[in-house]
């Protein structure tokens, strides 16, 4: 039988990932707004912590929350510069919808697809979220997309 | 990139203020060494000697839930009362304790223990008698050994029937120091 990975004390998770999550937020939305977003990310993580059923992929889970907080922040207060980014963001599917669509994928592929196509993360960042390489992230995203396409064909 | 101490502090305070924690804890210095002090929403739930963070966090997480975070504000009152106690300015603690998860026997022993006054000694047998099980001295000894909240629940005041100190989960030296502080033991005895 597979052993369930235990959910660690929140303090351990926080100490292990706070700096990289903060760095990620600074890259996404700038230092000035990263502080509030950092607090919001970990408060959301705490709010969701009791509902977790196992301790697998917690780093990816944190990055997904951080990406969502950054996206919310982006929509609430779009920066004056970087207008071109917004157009790109708008043409993408709603990230909430994408998360729903990707629900049935294996965990790594799901995270890669959601972070890449829902939140527009670089493969380097997705690699960090997955605890693997940029190349592995690219592969996970592309096999996730392939799987989604096959599934759509099956459905239709 | 590192999170600044200010931001770190702000998050830890906000987490506690929003009531999102199963356990808030902090470390504090004392004359008997560093202590880890932890509170749940019900009250003081742990005081540990020689804390090894990883082991302590695991144990707190198993007992009370995984939302365990170091956050000084919720434990500030406990730290203050401990400081006063060690300074000899406080003889009893005004702190709610959380021992709800223990077995009924352990709870009733600890409740009796809490009534043993500052500066006085009792024996394992006497304590067993007060919980209605006069022959359970050994079991009472075990409860003392596993007391999750030493100092505040004063297991250092419990000694053997011959007056020997017997044992202390934190080491006999600490038991002696606490009893000397309370004037229950002559220095050098």
């Amino acid at each position: 039988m597979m052993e369930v990975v235990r959910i660690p004390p929140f303090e351990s998770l926080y100490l292990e990932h706070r700096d990289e999550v903060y760095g990620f937020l600074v890259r996404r939305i700038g230092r000035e707004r990263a502080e509030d977003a950092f607090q919001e990310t970990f408060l959301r993580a705490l709010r969701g912590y009791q509902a977790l059923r196992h301790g697998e992929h917690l780093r990816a889970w944190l990055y997904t929350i951080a990406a969502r907080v950054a996206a919310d922040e982006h929509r609430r207060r779009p920066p004056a510069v970087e207008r071109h980014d917004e157009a790109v963001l708008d043409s993408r599917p709603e990230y909430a919808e994408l998360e729903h669509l990707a629900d049935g994928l294996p965990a790594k592929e799901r995270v890669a697809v959601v972070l890449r196509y829902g939140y527009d993360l670089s493969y380097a960042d997705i690699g960090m979220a997955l605890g693997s390489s940029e190349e592995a992230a690219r592969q996970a995203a592309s096999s996730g997309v392939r799987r989604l396409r096959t599934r759509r064909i099956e459905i239709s | 990139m590192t999170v600044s101490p200010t931001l770190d502090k702000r998050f830890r305070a906000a987490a506690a203020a929003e009531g999102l924690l199963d356990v808030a804890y902090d470390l504090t210095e004392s004359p008997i060494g560093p202590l880890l002090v932890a509170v749940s929403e019900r009250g003081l739930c742990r005081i540990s000697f020689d804390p090894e963070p990883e082991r302590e966090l695991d144990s707190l997480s198993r007992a009370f839930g995984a939302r365990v975070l170091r956050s000084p504000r919720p434990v500030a009152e406990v730290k203050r009362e401990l400081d006063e106690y060690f300074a000899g300015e406080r003889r009893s603690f005004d702190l709610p304790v959380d021992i709800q998860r223990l077995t009924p026997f352990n709870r009733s022993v600890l409740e009796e223990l809490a009534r043993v006054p500052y500066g006085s000694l009792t024996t394992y047998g006497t304590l067993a008698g007060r919980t209605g099980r006069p022959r359970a001295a050994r079991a009472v000894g075990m409860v003392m050994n596993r007391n999750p909240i030493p100092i505040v629940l004063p297991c250092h005041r419990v000694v053997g029937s011959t007056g020997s100190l017997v044992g202390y989960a934190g080491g006999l030296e600490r038991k002696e120091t606490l009893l000397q502080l309370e004037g229950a033991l002559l220095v050098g005895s």
Side-chain angles (χ1 to χ4, degrees):
Chain A
M1 223 174 74
M2 285 235 302
E3 206 174 307
V4 178
V5 178
R6 225 172 58 82
I7 296 166
F10 196 84
E11 176 77 22
S12 313
L13 180 79
Y14 173 71
L15 287 182
E16 199 179 336
H17 300 302
R18 64 179 170 186
D19 289 342
E20 57 174 307
V21 167
Y22 179 64
F24 166 70
L25 287 166
V26 170
R27 288 198 299 282
R28 295 293 285 177
I29 53 177
R31 192 177 290 269
E32 196 188 318
R33 295 192 293 172
E35 297 219 338
D36 285 344
F38 173 83
Q39 174 161 321
E40 180 59 22
T41 297
F42 280 98
L43 288 178
R44 282 192 201 179
L46 265 174
R47 286 188 206 112
Y49 212 53
Q50 273 179 315
L52 292 178
R53 277 165 299 178
H54 58 73
E56 278 178 90
H57 309 298
L58 289 185
R59 177 199 228 143
W61 176 71
L62 277 177
Y63 270 83
T64 311
I65 297 173
R68 198 178 302 146
V69 170
D72 288 351
E73 177 65 20
H74 228 283
R75 287 197 306 185
R76 209 160 51 87
R77 289 192 294 163
V81 278
E82 293 180 50
R83 281 288 176 206
H84 57 283
D85 263 17
E86 261 196 292
V88 177
L89 270 178
D90 285 347
S91 68
R92 291 180 192 282
E94 267 297 301
Y95 52 80
E97 195 186 329
L98 184 65
E99 282 190 40
H100 177 70
L101 277 173
D103 250 355
L105 293 179
K108 278 198 170 181
E109 292 179 13
R110 176 179 185 280
V111 170
V113 167
V114 168
L115 292 183
R116 179 67 195 138
Y117 299 103
Y119 296 106
D120 199 29
L121 259 67
S122 69
Y123 284 117
D125 277 339
I126 298 169
M128 279 181 73
L130 291 172
S132 59
S133 67
E134 191 173 333
E135 188 45 39
R138 196 185 301 273
Q139 276 170 17
S142 87
S143 68
V145 166
R146 251 198 322 274
R147 214 185 288 268
L148 281 177
R149 283 211 186 103
T150 327
R151 193 172 305 157
R152 275 182 65 170
I153 292 163
E154 278 169 10
I155 294 167
S156 57
Chain B
M1 202 166 297
T2 10
V3 173
S4 72
T6 320
L7 179 55
D8 178 68
K9 223 160 135 185
R10 206 176 96 193
F11 162 65
R12 292 177 184 279
E18 282 203 26
L20 293 173
L21 302 180
D22 297 312
V23 173
Y25 75 93
D26 201 6
L27 299 172
T28 186
E29 287 302 322
S30 84
I32 53 171
L35 302 174
L36 179 142
V37 180
V39 299
S40 71
E41 57 179 3
R42 290 200 184 85
L44 177 60
C45 65
R46 185 74 56 91
I47 292 180
S48 302
F49 303 115
D50 301 324
E52 287 170 30
E54 204 167 315
R55 204 189 53 194
E56 293 297 333
L57 297 191
D58 260 2
S59 144
L60 286 168
S61 168
R62 279 172 207 276
F64 299 95
R67 297 177 306 172
V68 177
L69 191 72
R70 184 169 184 175
S71 186
R73 204 164 307 163
V75 297
E77 174 61 17
V78 180
K79 283 170 74 170
R80 194 175 61 83
E81 294 203 10
L82 283 171
D83 286 346
E84 291 169 356
Y85 169 80
F86 285 118
E89 294 159 1
R90 171 175 287 277
R91 299 167 70 90
S92 67
F93 293 95
D94 302 314
L95 298 166
V97 294
D98 181 0
I99 51 171
Q100 220 173 42
R101 280 157 219 255
L102 303 180
T103 65
F105 176 69
N106 285 40
R107 269 204 317 264
S108 65
V109 172
L110 292 176
E111 278 158 12
E112 278 306 323
L113 173 67
R115 297 196 180 99
V116 180
Y118 184 93
S120 66
L121 296 175
T122 189
T123 67
Y124 297 97
T126 310
L127 206 52
R130 285 197 200 135
T131 51
R133 294 179 56 183
R135 291 145 78 94
R138 191 174 289 269
V140 165
M142 287 303 290
V143 178
M144 296 303 106
N145 188 256
R146 293 184 187 154
N147 178 8
I149 317 174
I151 307 170
V152 171
L153 296 177
C155 55
H156 57 279
R157 294 175 196 152
V158 188
V159 298
S161 53
T162 60
S164 69
L165 290 185
V166 182
Y168 194 58
L172 277 181
E173 209 176 307
R174 289 199 174 100
K175 190 170 188 171
E176 262 185 78
T177 309
L178 293 174
L179 290 175
Q180 277 165 7
L181 166 79
E182 296 186 6
L185 219 59
L186 293 175
V187 178
S189 68

